[in-house]
Amino acid sequence: QVQLVESGGGLVQAGGSLTLSCTASGSISTITVMAWYRQAPGKQRDLVATIARGGITNYADSVKGRFTISSDNAKNTMYLQMNSLRPEDTAVYYCYVLSRRAYWGQGTQVTVSS
């Protein structure tokens, strides 16, 4: 069974940068879309960024110009580069892959201090 494993979370000062990675334990076929979500304490899980076939990306308004989603198929990995981080970005971040079924990462904590 394929698993998605996240890494790269941690504590960072406001204005700093952090890069998250999400690696699949095996190849996933027929991928429709890959995405990053985040969930702050007591809040719903919200979509942050998506990347589809052809490298087409979309971002939530709150992260446009600051975050970049990318993927490296040779490494079975996708990334979320986060720049100019704000305290409001504090959340658990989850990677997501939709193919013949949906796959979720275990979540990684990102905390931005002021």
Side-chain angles (χ1 to χ4, degrees), residues 48-89:
V48 175
T50 63
I51 182 167
R53 185 175 181 181
I56 299 173
T57 59
N58 284 285
Y59 300 90
D61 288 343
S62 59
V63 307
K64 285 181 180 176
R66 301 188 298 120
F67 290 13
T68 302
I69 186 172
S70 63
S71 64
D72 183 343
N73 288 357
K75 295 183 177 181
N76 289 337
T77 301
M78 66 170 171
Y79 306 90
L80 184 67
Q81 181 181 183
M82 304 182 292
N83 299 322
S84 301
L85 283 162
R86 306 165 180 169
E88 308 91 89
D89 296 318

Side-chain angles (χ1 to χ4, degrees), residues 6-108:
E6 300 176 28
S7 63
L11 175 64
V12 65
Q13 295 284 327
S17 298
L18 208 57
T19 299
L20 307 182
S21 64
C22 173
T23 300
S25 62
S27 296
I28 301 176
S29 63
T30 321
I31 293 175
T32 300
V33 65
M34 295 177 282
W36 288 93
Y37 287 76
R38 66 186 182 186
Q39 187 168 23
K43 304 299 181 182
Q44 68 178 182
R45 188 171 299 185
D46 292 327
L47 181 64
V48 175
T50 63
I51 182 167
R53 185 175 181 181
I56 299 173
T57 59
N58 284 285
Y59 300 90
D61 288 343
S62 59
V63 307
K64 285 181 180 176
R66 301 188 298 120
F67 290 13
T68 302
I69 186 172
S70 63
S71 64
D72 183 343
N73 288 357
K75 295 183 177 181
N76 289 337
T77 301
M78 66 170 171
Y79 306 90
L80 184 67
Q81 181 181 183
M82 304 182 292
N83 299 322
S84 301
L85 283 162
R86 306 165 180 169
E88 308 91 89
D89 296 318
T90 295
V92 176
Y93 284 70
Y94 298 89
C95 61
Y96 169 91
V97 176
L98 179 63
S99 59
R100 300 293 291 177
R101 55 152 288 186
Y103 299 87
W104 287 94
Q106 82 282 1
T108 186

